[in-house]
Amino acid sequence: MTRGVLVCIEGLDRTGKTTQTTSLLEKLDKDGVDATLIKFPERTTPIGRIINTYLTDTAFELSDQSAHLLFSANRWELAEKIRSLLEDGKTVVLDRYVYSGVAYSSAKGLPFDWCLSPDIGLPKPDIVLFMKFKQEENVTREGFGEERYEVAEFQQKVKTQFEKFQNEDNWRTIYVDNKSIEEVGEMIWTEYKVTASRRREALQYFSKL
Ligand code: FDM
């Protein structure tokens, strides 16, 4: 059986990732593709519950290293599920993943390579769709500022770290300025179709960049 496609949607806060992952799932369903959405952080697992408290309660202190390792551990909680869905021929859509993990923590000043280390060995996406907005736009969107990391200067640093992945083979930047939700959805769908139509090699895993 051909394995499924591992798709990842990434981007800064309030760039429309959740809207687009939902819309991608609907299109996959209409197309007869059996697909599962996994959003990180997955806040319902034992580690996810700690992460949720950390993100929503500024009085809950963790060192940057501890927070980083929890986000990575949260991905490892789901790693076997992702791998087995793919091996069963299912498509998996990830709303944030390793790239957010590395970008947010290295933006705090932790070394980039150190940030990637605990994620080495996790399934690597066939395609990463990085939603790119002008900085000013995501910070004026409704809801921005509700959680720990939603501060404009910090978002700029995160963007710089995300862009260190842009030369990776699986990376596609989706420019979303002045585009409707439908137009962005079409760009994502086109990129997905190209990837899905290619012959798939064995699942890849994260290694050193
Ligand atoms: N975030 C998310 C991290 O700092 N590291 C990670 O590994 C992941 C997956 O958590 F500010 C940050 C990014 C964001 C916050 O994400 C919660 P959502 O998408 O708003 O739930």
Side-chain angles (χ1 to χ4, degrees):
M1 182 197 290
T2 319
R3 72 165 174 88
V5 187
L6 184 55
V7 184
C8 172
I9 298 198
E10 277 286 9
L12 296 171
D13 299 82
R14 317 280 162 179
T15 50
K17 289 184 303 303
T18 302
T19 306
Q20 290 302 335
T21 44
T22 309
S23 140
L24 177 58
L25 261 290
E26 282 166 13
K27 289 195 177 101
L28 288 166
D29 187 47
K30 270 198 204 126
D31 217 39
V33 179
D34 194 342
T36 303
L37 171 63
I38 299 179
K39 178 170 164 45
F40 286 111
E42 165 49 82
R43 302 185 192 218
T44 64
T45 60
I47 290 168
R49 287 199 289 274
I50 305 175
I51 293 174
N52 186 52
T53 308
Y54 170 69
L55 287 170
T56 54
D57 177 1
T58 44
F60 185 85
E61 289 295 338
L62 285 176
S63 72
D64 293 343
Q65 289 85 347
S66 305
H68 180 75
L69 294 171
L70 287 173
F71 277 108
S72 175
N74 185 229
R75 287 185 276 282
W76 282 105
E77 288 181 296
L78 274 299
E80 183 47 32
K81 177 179 174 185
I82 296 172
R83 199 200 56 76
S84 82
L85 283 167
L86 293 168
E87 296 301 345
D88 287 347
K90 312 263 175 17
T91 285
V92 178
V93 179
L94 304 173
D95 180 347
R96 292 196 190 275
Y97 195 44
V98 171
Y99 309 94
S100 279
V102 175
Y104 280 77
S105 294
S106 59
K108 294 175 176 174
L110 296 179
F112 191 89
D113 286 352
W114 185 88
C115 292
L116 186 62
S117 300
D119 287 330
I120 288 176
L122 284 171
K124 188 167 183 174
D126 296 295
I127 184 167
V128 185
L129 300 150
F130 178 61
M131 312 259 295
K132 189 166 170 176
F133 262 95
K134 275 198 203 124
Q135 186 62 29
E136 311 82 71
E137 204 158 324
N138 75 326
V139 299
T140 55
R141 290 198 153 195
E142 202 186 324
F144 185 86
E146 285 171 4
E147 282 199 344
R148 184 178 282 265
Y149 296 143
E150 296 184 348
V151 176
E153 307 89 271
F154 183 66
Q155 295 279 311
Q156 188 54 47
K157 290 187 184 159
V158 177
K159 188 179 186 184
T160 305
Q161 298 303 323
F162 263 128
E163 288 177 347
K164 294 189 178 164
F165 289 105
Q166 70 191 2
N167 295 327
E168 292 272 286
D169 288 350
N170 60 1
W171 194 264
R172 308 279 180 278
T173 301
I174 304 286
Y175 293 94
V176 291
D177 301 275
N178 309 316
K179 300 266 177 7
S180 66
I181 290 174
E182 292 71 28
E183 285 169 326
V184 174
E186 276 312 307
M187 292 193 279
I188 289 176
W189 185 242
T190 304
E191 292 288 359
Y192 161 77
K193 290 292 262 185
V194 171
T195 302
S197 66
R198 289 207 195 107
R199 202 178 69 79
R200 265 187 290 302
E201 319 233 314
L203 184 60
Q204 304 286 300
Y205 295 90
F206 278 92
S207 58
K208 276 213 169 307
L209 269 190

